[in-house]
Amino acid sequence: MDNKVVLISGATDGIGKQTALKLAAMGARVIVHGRNRSRGATALQEIGEKTGKEARFVQADLSSLKNVTGLAEDIKKAYDRIDVLINNAGVFQREQVFSDDGYEMTFAVNHLAHFALSLQLLPLLKESAQGRIINVSSMAHRSSPRTDFSDIHDINAYMDYSAYSLSKLANVLFSNELASRLKATKITSNSLHPGVITTKLLREGFGISGNDVEQGCLTSVYLASEESLSSTSGKYFSNSRETEPSPYAFDPELRNNLWNLSEELTGVKFNDFV
Protein backbone atom coordinates (compact mmCIF):
# COMPACT_ATOMS: atom_id res chain seq x y z
CA MET A 1 0.00 0.00 0.00
CA ASP A 2 3.05 2.24 -0.04
CA ASN A 3 2.04 5.69 -1.37
CA LYS A 4 -1.36 4.46 -2.61
CA VAL A 5 -4.11 7.06 -2.34
CA VAL A 6 -7.12 5.77 -0.40
CA LEU A 7 -10.36 7.67 0.19
CA ILE A 8 -12.60 6.30 2.96
CA SER A 9 -16.06 7.73 3.54
CA GLY A 10 -17.33 7.87 7.11
CA ALA A 11 -13.82 7.50 8.53
CA THR A 12 -13.83 9.75 11.60
CA ASP A 13 -14.96 6.94 13.89
CA GLY A 14 -15.84 3.26 14.03
CA ILE A 15 -14.87 0.83 11.29
CA GLY A 16 -13.93 3.62 8.90
CA LYS A 17 -11.40 5.18 11.26
CA GLN A 18 -9.88 1.80 12.10
CA THR A 19 -9.61 1.04 8.37
CA ALA A 20 -7.81 4.36 7.89
CA LEU A 21 -5.41 3.57 10.73
CA LYS A 22 -4.56 0.13 9.33
CA LEU A 23 -4.01 1.34 5.77
CA ALA A 24 -1.97 4.35 6.87
CA ALA A 25 0.24 2.00 8.90
CA MET A 26 0.74 0.02 5.67
CA GLY A 27 2.00 3.16 3.93
CA ALA A 28 -1.16 4.44 2.22
CA ARG A 29 -1.91 8.13 1.74
CA VAL A 30 -5.27 8.15 3.48
CA ILE A 31 -8.06 10.67 2.85
CA VAL A 32 -10.48 10.66 5.79
CA HIS A 33 -14.01 11.77 4.99
CA GLY A 34 -16.52 12.90 7.60
CA ARG A 35 -19.26 15.41 8.37
CA ASN A 36 -17.71 16.89 11.50
CA ARG A 37 -14.49 18.88 11.22
CA SER A 38 -13.63 18.50 14.91
CA ARG A 39 -13.91 14.70 14.77
CA GLY A 40 -11.92 14.82 11.54
CA ALA A 41 -9.09 16.69 13.25
CA THR A 42 -9.11 14.17 16.09
CA ALA A 43 -8.94 11.27 13.63
CA LEU A 44 -6.01 12.85 11.78
CA GLN A 45 -4.16 13.39 15.03
CA GLU A 46 -4.69 9.76 16.04
CA ILE A 47 -3.52 8.49 12.66
CA GLY A 48 -0.41 10.65 12.87
CA GLU A 49 0.45 9.58 16.42
CA LYS A 50 -0.14 5.87 15.85
CA THR A 51 1.27 5.46 12.34
CA GLY A 52 3.63 8.37 11.79
CA LYS A 53 1.74 9.11 8.57
CA GLU A 54 0.03 12.35 7.63
CA ALA A 55 -3.58 11.93 6.51
CA ARG A 56 -5.97 14.47 5.01
CA PHE A 57 -9.52 15.28 6.07
CA VAL A 58 -12.33 16.14 3.66
CA GLN A 59 -15.71 17.36 4.89
CA ALA A 60 -19.05 16.64 3.25
CA ASP A 61 -22.60 15.77 4.28
CA LEU A 62 -23.43 12.73 2.17
CA SER A 63 -27.16 13.32 2.58
CA SER A 64 -26.78 16.19 0.08
CA LEU A 65 -25.98 15.32 -3.52
CA LYS A 66 -24.63 18.84 -3.97
CA ASN A 67 -22.17 18.10 -1.17
CA VAL A 68 -21.24 14.77 -2.75
CA THR A 69 -20.44 16.51 -6.03
CA GLY A 70 -18.46 19.15 -4.15
CA LEU A 71 -16.49 16.41 -2.42
CA ALA A 72 -15.69 14.75 -5.75
CA GLU A 73 -14.58 18.08 -7.23
CA ASP A 74 -12.33 18.82 -4.25
CA ILE A 75 -10.69 15.41 -4.59
CA LYS A 76 -10.18 15.90 -8.32
CA LYS A 77 -8.44 19.23 -7.70
CA ALA A 78 -6.13 17.83 -5.02
CA TYR A 79 -5.17 14.45 -6.49
CA ASP A 80 -4.17 13.08 -9.88
CA ARG A 81 -5.35 9.58 -9.02
CA ILE A 82 -7.27 7.50 -6.50
CA ASP A 83 -6.10 3.94 -5.99
CA VAL A 84 -8.81 2.79 -3.59
CA LEU A 85 -12.26 4.17 -2.79
CA ILE A 86 -13.91 2.62 0.26
CA ASN A 87 -17.60 3.49 0.49
CA ASN A 88 -17.95 2.92 4.21
CA ALA A 89 -20.32 5.61 5.55
CA GLY A 90 -23.76 4.48 6.60
CA VAL A 91 -26.79 5.40 8.69
CA PHE A 92 -29.71 3.62 10.36
CA GLN A 93 -32.78 5.84 10.73
CA ARG A 94 -35.30 4.91 13.41
CA GLU A 95 -37.83 7.36 11.97
CA GLN A 96 -38.40 8.27 8.37
CA VAL A 97 -36.40 11.37 7.46
CA PHE A 98 -35.90 12.94 4.05
CA SER A 99 -32.71 14.43 2.66
CA ASP A 100 -32.43 17.96 1.31
CA ASP A 101 -32.95 16.43 -2.13
CA GLY A 102 -36.23 14.90 -0.99
CA TYR A 103 -35.06 11.27 -0.79
CA GLU A 104 -35.52 8.83 2.07
CA MET A 105 -32.41 9.37 4.21
CA THR A 106 -31.22 5.78 4.60
CA PHE A 107 -31.31 5.20 0.86
CA ALA A 108 -29.83 8.65 0.17
CA VAL A 109 -26.76 8.21 2.39
CA ASN A 110 -26.19 4.46 2.19
CA HIS A 111 -26.65 4.14 -1.56
CA LEU A 112 -27.23 7.27 -3.62
CA ALA A 113 -24.27 9.17 -2.16
CA HIS A 114 -21.85 6.34 -2.86
CA PHE A 115 -23.30 5.74 -6.31
CA ALA A 116 -22.76 9.41 -7.20
CA LEU A 117 -19.33 9.64 -5.58
CA SER A 118 -18.02 6.46 -7.20
CA LEU A 119 -19.07 7.47 -10.69
CA GLN A 120 -17.69 10.99 -10.38
CA LEU A 121 -14.33 9.64 -9.18
CA LEU A 122 -13.98 7.09 -11.99
CA PRO A 123 -11.60 9.38 -13.95
CA LEU A 124 -9.18 9.38 -10.99
CA LEU A 125 -9.57 5.65 -10.40
CA LYS A 126 -8.74 5.06 -14.07
CA GLU A 127 -5.41 6.83 -13.49
CA SER A 128 -4.41 4.20 -10.93
CA ALA A 129 -2.38 1.18 -12.00
CA GLN A 130 -5.32 -0.84 -10.61
CA GLY A 131 -8.18 1.10 -9.07
CA ARG A 132 -10.44 -0.52 -6.49
CA ILE A 133 -13.94 0.40 -5.35
CA ILE A 134 -14.99 -1.28 -2.11
CA ASN A 135 -18.59 -1.06 -0.92
CA VAL A 136 -19.27 -1.81 2.74
CA SER A 137 -22.62 -3.60 2.81
CA SER A 138 -23.98 -5.92 5.52
CA MET A 139 -25.32 -9.41 5.91
CA ALA A 140 -28.62 -7.56 6.46
CA HIS A 141 -28.88 -7.37 2.66
CA ARG A 142 -29.82 -11.06 2.69
CA SER A 143 -32.92 -10.48 4.79
CA SER A 144 -34.41 -7.47 3.05
CA PRO A 145 -38.20 -8.00 3.14
CA ARG A 146 -38.52 -6.25 -0.22
CA THR A 147 -36.61 -5.68 -3.42
CA ASP A 148 -38.76 -2.96 -4.95
CA PHE A 149 -36.87 0.33 -4.97
CA SER A 150 -39.72 2.25 -6.56
CA ASP A 151 -41.52 2.71 -3.24
CA ILE A 152 -38.59 4.01 -1.15
CA HIS A 153 -40.44 7.27 -0.47
CA ASP A 154 -43.74 5.71 0.63
CA ILE A 155 -44.36 7.37 3.99
CA ASN A 156 -46.96 4.72 4.87
CA ALA A 157 -44.57 1.81 4.38
CA TYR A 158 -41.50 2.93 6.34
CA MET A 159 -39.88 0.43 8.68
CA ASP A 160 -36.37 1.13 9.93
CA TYR A 161 -34.89 -2.33 9.38
CA SER A 162 -36.60 -2.70 6.03
CA ALA A 163 -35.11 0.59 4.84
CA TYR A 164 -31.66 -0.33 6.14
CA SER A 165 -31.58 -3.84 4.70
CA LEU A 166 -32.86 -2.58 1.35
CA SER A 167 -30.06 0.01 1.25
CA LYS A 168 -27.52 -2.73 2.02
CA LEU A 169 -28.96 -4.84 -0.81
CA ALA A 170 -28.53 -1.77 -3.02
CA ASN A 171 -24.83 -1.70 -2.06
CA VAL A 172 -24.32 -5.24 -3.37
CA LEU A 173 -26.45 -4.74 -6.48
CA PHE A 174 -24.61 -1.52 -7.32
CA SER A 175 -21.23 -3.10 -6.68
CA ASN A 176 -21.96 -6.04 -8.97
CA GLU A 177 -23.49 -3.93 -11.75
CA LEU A 178 -20.59 -1.48 -11.58
CA ALA A 179 -18.14 -4.39 -11.87
CA SER A 180 -19.95 -5.53 -15.01
CA ARG A 181 -19.84 -2.07 -16.57
CA LEU A 182 -16.14 -1.67 -15.73
CA LYS A 183 -15.04 -5.00 -17.22
CA ALA A 184 -13.00 -3.31 -19.94
CA THR A 185 -11.06 -1.22 -17.39
CA LYS A 186 -8.49 -1.89 -14.67
CA ILE A 187 -10.98 -0.84 -11.96
CA THR A 188 -12.55 -3.50 -9.77
CA SER A 189 -15.70 -3.26 -7.66
CA ASN A 190 -16.46 -5.54 -4.72
CA SER A 191 -18.70 -5.48 -1.66
CA LEU A 192 -18.41 -6.89 1.84
CA HIS A 193 -19.97 -7.65 5.19
CA PRO A 194 -17.67 -6.27 7.94
CA GLY A 195 -19.11 -8.48 10.67
CA VAL A 196 -21.35 -7.63 13.59
CA ILE A 197 -19.23 -4.85 15.01
CA THR A 198 -19.75 -2.55 18.00
CA THR A 199 -20.27 0.82 16.34
CA LYS A 200 -22.56 3.78 16.88
CA LEU A 201 -24.82 2.44 14.10
CA LEU A 202 -25.10 -1.00 15.71
CA ARG A 203 -25.87 0.43 19.16
CA GLU A 204 -28.40 3.00 17.95
CA GLY A 205 -29.96 0.87 15.24
CA PHE A 206 -30.03 -2.57 16.82
CA GLY A 207 -29.34 -1.98 20.51
CA ILE A 208 -26.67 -4.66 20.65
CA SER A 209 -22.90 -4.96 20.69
CA GLY A 210 -20.56 -7.18 18.71
CA ASN A 211 -16.89 -7.58 17.90
CA ASP A 212 -14.53 -4.63 18.12
CA VAL A 213 -13.62 -2.33 15.24
CA GLU A 214 -10.21 -4.01 14.94
CA GLN A 215 -12.09 -7.04 13.62
CA GLY A 216 -14.56 -4.95 11.65
CA CYS A 217 -11.96 -3.31 9.43
CA LEU A 218 -10.13 -6.46 8.36
CA THR A 219 -12.15 -7.34 5.26
CA SER A 220 -12.02 -3.77 3.97
CA VAL A 221 -8.25 -3.72 4.50
CA TYR A 222 -7.94 -7.10 2.77
CA LEU A 223 -9.87 -5.95 -0.28
CA ALA A 224 -7.86 -2.73 -0.43
CA SER A 225 -4.43 -4.31 -0.13
CA GLU A 226 -4.39 -7.95 -1.22
CA GLU A 227 -2.38 -8.18 -4.44
CA SER A 228 -4.00 -11.44 -5.55
CA LEU A 229 -7.35 -9.61 -5.87
CA SER A 230 -6.14 -7.27 -8.62
CA SER A 231 -8.55 -8.82 -11.15
CA THR A 232 -11.29 -9.92 -8.74
CA SER A 233 -14.46 -7.94 -9.33
CA GLY A 234 -18.19 -8.27 -8.76
CA LYS A 235 -17.71 -10.41 -5.66
CA TYR A 236 -19.00 -10.28 -2.08
CA PHE A 237 -16.73 -10.95 0.89
CA SER A 238 -17.06 -11.75 4.58
CA ASN A 239 -14.25 -12.58 7.01
CA SER A 240 -11.80 -11.78 4.20
CA ARG A 241 -13.20 -14.62 2.10
CA GLU A 242 -15.37 -14.62 -0.98
CA THR A 243 -18.91 -15.49 0.06
CA GLU A 244 -22.22 -15.95 -1.75
CA PRO A 245 -24.46 -12.89 -1.43
CA SER A 246 -28.23 -12.87 -1.71
CA PRO A 247 -29.43 -14.50 -4.95
CA TYR A 248 -30.97 -11.12 -5.81
CA ALA A 249 -27.43 -9.81 -6.35
CA PHE A 250 -27.31 -11.74 -9.61
CA ASP A 251 -30.71 -10.59 -10.93
CA PRO A 252 -29.87 -8.53 -14.05
CA GLU A 253 -33.28 -6.85 -14.17
CA LEU A 254 -33.12 -5.79 -10.53
CA ARG A 255 -29.58 -4.51 -10.94
CA ASN A 256 -30.47 -2.58 -14.08
CA ASN A 257 -33.62 -1.10 -12.54
CA LEU A 258 -31.68 0.13 -9.51
CA TRP A 259 -28.97 1.55 -11.76
CA ASN A 260 -31.45 3.47 -13.90
CA LEU A 261 -33.26 4.79 -10.82
CA SER A 262 -29.95 5.86 -9.28
CA GLU A 263 -28.90 7.77 -12.39
CA GLU A 264 -32.31 9.42 -12.50
CA LEU A 265 -32.33 10.45 -8.83
CA THR A 266 -28.70 11.64 -8.67
CA GLY A 267 -28.38 13.10 -12.15
CA VAL A 268 -24.97 11.37 -12.34
CA LYS A 269 -24.52 9.29 -15.49
CA PHE A 270 -21.97 6.51 -15.86
CA ASN A 271 -21.27 7.36 -19.50
CA ASP A 272 -20.19 10.88 -18.55
CA PHE A 273 -17.22 9.57 -16.56
CA VAL A 274 -15.85 6.50 -18.37
Side-chain angles (χ1 to χ4, degrees):
M1 293 304 293
D2 191 38
N3 205 41
K4 289 194 174 181
V5 180
V6 181
L7 170 60
I8 309 169
S9 70
T12 58
D13 59 14
I15 294 171
K17 185 174 74 172
Q18 194 61 37
T19 303
L21 281 162
K22 288 284 188 183
L23 292 174
M26 296 168 71
R29 295 164 57 196
V30 174
I31 310 167
V32 172
H33 158 266
R35 288 184 302 168
N36 184 286
R37 191 167 293 279
S38 176
R39 286 202 296 267
T42 300
L44 296 191
Q45 181 178 358
E46 184 177 348
I47 291 169
E49 291 175 350
K50 291 184 176 180
T51 71
K53 300 291 183 181
E54 183 177 343
R56 176 175 178 173
F57 174 70
V58 288
Q59 184 180 29
D61 182 349
L62 297 187
S63 70
S64 162
L65 288 169
K66 181 179 179 180
N67 270 252
V68 172
T69 295
L71 172 60
E73 291 302 318
D74 288 345
I75 297 295
K76 289 177 186 178
K77 290 175 184 175
Y79 295 88
D80 58 5
R81 76 174 195 281
I82 293 289
D83 296 293
V84 182
L85 168 62
I86 303 179
N87 291 316
N88 168 81
V91 298
F92 186 106
Q93 295 290 145
R94 282 292 191 187
E95 304 292 336
Q96 188 172 47
V97 179
F98 291 93
S99 71
D100 288 345
D101 302 294
Y103 305 139
E104 190 277 312
M105 188 67 80
T106 308
F107 189 69
V109 173
N110 293 3
H111 170 64
L112 291 179
H114 289 133
F115 176 91
L117 183 63
S118 298
L119 265 57
Q120 291 178 87
L121 291 180
L122 285 177
L124 290 188
L125 285 152
K126 288 171 68 176
E127 293 301 318
S128 171
Q130 196 273 293
R132 302 187 183 196
I133 298 171
I134 299 165
N135 297 291
V136 179
S137 180
S138 165
M139 67 179 181
H141 88 276
R142 295 177 179 275
S143 55
S144 177
R146 58 197 175 117
T147 60
D148 184 4
F149 294 94
S150 66
D151 67 346
I152 57 171
H153 307 311
D154 187 345
I155 60 173
N156 297 314
Y158 186 78
M159 293 183 290
D160 52 10
Y161 181 77
S162 176
Y164 179 75
S165 59
L166 185 67
S167 74
K168 295 290 102 179
L169 176 59
N171 292 155
V172 181
L173 291 167
F174 164 56
S175 190
N176 287 5
E177 183 62 22
L178 182 60
S180 177
R181 294 180 184 234
L182 291 172
K183 271 195 297 190
T185 76
K186 297 176 291 183
I187 305 171
T188 59
S189 171
N190 293 291
S191 58
L192 67 98
H193 167 55
V196 179
I197 308 299
T198 300
T199 61
K200 182 172 62 178
L201 186 151
L202 190 71
R203 290 191 300 269
E204 293 179 356
F206 297 89
I208 60 174
S209 60
N211 293 323
D212 61 31
V213 291
E214 283 271 355
Q215 182 71 27
C217 77
L218 294 181
T219 303
S220 291
V221 171
Y222 175 73
L223 287 174
S225 62
E226 176 57 43
E227 292 185 7
S228 67
L229 299 179
S230 61
S231 60
T232 299
S233 195
K235 304 299 183 181
Y236 174 76
F237 288 77
S238 180
N239 291 319
S240 299
R241 295 193 299 271
E242 186 180 327
T243 307
E244 281 295 302
S246 163
Y248 289 121
F250 305 107
D251 184 331
E253 183 177 2
L254 186 59
R255 281 166 39 177
N256 193 57
N257 287 346
L258 173 63
W259 188 277
N260 291 338
L261 176 66
S262 302
E263 287 198 334
E264 177 187 342
L265 295 182
T266 64
V268 179
K269 312 292 185 182
F270 177 77
N271 290 336
D272 291 340
F273 299 98
V274 292

